[in-house]
Amino acid sequence: MNKKAQRRLVVTGGIVAIAMLVVAAIAGSGGAVSSLSVGDLLAGGYTGKKVQVTGSVVADSIQSEGTSVQFAITPEEGDGSQELLVTYDGALPATFGTGVVAICTGTVEDPLMLSCTEMVTKCPSKYESAEGSLTVKGLLDQAESMVGKETKVCGYIDGEVNDAQASYRFAIESQGALLNVVYEGGLDEAMTDGAAVVLSGHLDEDGNFVATEQPSIDSSISK
């Protein structure tokens, strides 16, 4: 082999070696995310690693301070015995709430918790007929006798839908009357301004309607 061929071989080998180093560097720093179950993560061995975990938000676990929120998730099909603490700093999706399925991506910390930087929620759609329900005006006209009594009310969402930590989730309007709705659970993504909804729950002493079931969309009508 002549010297020219040897130099060509050395240069080619060097290029291949550099390319391999670049690929290795990208693979090592690219933040490959492991998709785990709640049980997998609780078993340990993932501290400092970036992971994605899916689970249902545990009732009464949501605590917020400013833009930071802390909550627990449990396996969707589990018995509730396994819970993972999650912290999240950012705007909560309008669909977030008790019972909603949250897909959380972040870094595992010590003591064991997930510092979530990305969150997606999913909630099953629910449709129901408004037949047999009261309008907002009809409910408020008999408000004194309806406080604490289970009933149904229908109307159109008026304005923005707030997150689960707000003083009320959204307001509904019908026949010119407006009613604030309190609900801590997850909402369908179609729950937006102008959507026709049916709610099950009761009036509280402050004049708010406390929904006790996932608000339903009345698909038979549109505004």
Side-chain angles (χ1 to χ4, degrees):
M1 182 181 295
N2 59 38
K3 291 184 178 180
K4 188 175 181 180
Q6 287 178 334
R7 285 197 298 270
R8 188 181 298 115
L9 182 61
V10 170
V11 171
T12 302
I15 293 173
V16 171
I18 292 172
M20 292 177 67
L21 288 172
V22 170
V23 171
I26 292 173
S29 62
V33 179
S34 299
S35 183
L36 305 173
S37 68
V38 172
D40 289 337
L41 200 152
L42 292 177
Y46 295 96
T47 301
K49 295 183 179 180
K50 189 173 184 180
V51 301
Q52 184 180 86
V53 187
T54 300
S56 299
V57 178
V58 177
D60 301 321
S61 70
I62 304 171
Q63 299 179 21
S64 62
E65 183 175 345
T67 60
S68 298
V69 63
Q70 177 178 294
F71 58 94
I73 58 175
T74 190
E76 294 180 64
E77 305 299 331
D79 58 7
S81 61
Q82 293 181 315
E83 292 186 6
L84 172 67
L85 184 64
V86 179
T87 60
Y88 179 71
D89 189 5
L92 288 170
T95 53
F96 180 83
T98 297
V100 75
V101 175
I103 304 170
C104 306
T105 303
T107 304
V108 182
E109 297 186 352
D110 184 20
L112 186 57
M113 70 173 66
L114 180 66
S115 179
C116 178
T117 55
E118 300 173 39
M119 178 168 58
V120 178
T121 59
K122 58 181 182 178
C123 192
S125 299
K126 185 176 180 182
Y127 294 87
E128 185 175 326
S129 170
E131 184 177 353
S133 60
L134 297 170
T135 63
V136 173
K137 186 176 185 304
L139 177 63
L140 295 181
D141 282 348
Q142 49 184 322
E144 289 186 8
S145 62
M146 293 299 292
V147 172
K149 291 185 178 180
E150 289 296 314
T151 189
K152 286 185 178 182
V153 63
C154 63
Y156 298 96
I157 294 180
D158 186 87
E160 293 185 0
V161 176
N162 301 314
D163 64 55
Q165 296 304 292
S167 58
Y168 69 94
R169 204 64 181 275
F170 54 85
I172 61 171
E173 179 273 333
S174 59
Q175 293 186 319
L178 201 64
L179 179 66
N180 290 339
V181 178
V182 177
Y183 181 65
E184 295 183 353
L187 294 176
D188 188 281
E189 292 181 351
M191 294 280 181
T192 56
D193 183 32
V197 295
V198 183
L199 309 172
S200 296
H202 61 268
L203 272 180
D204 65 15
E205 294 181 351
D206 296 322
N208 299 312
F209 189 85
V210 180
T212 54
E213 298 179 11
Q214 181 189 347
S216 306
I217 301 168
D218 185 354
S219 58
S220 65
I221 59 174
S222 61
K223 195 169 184 179

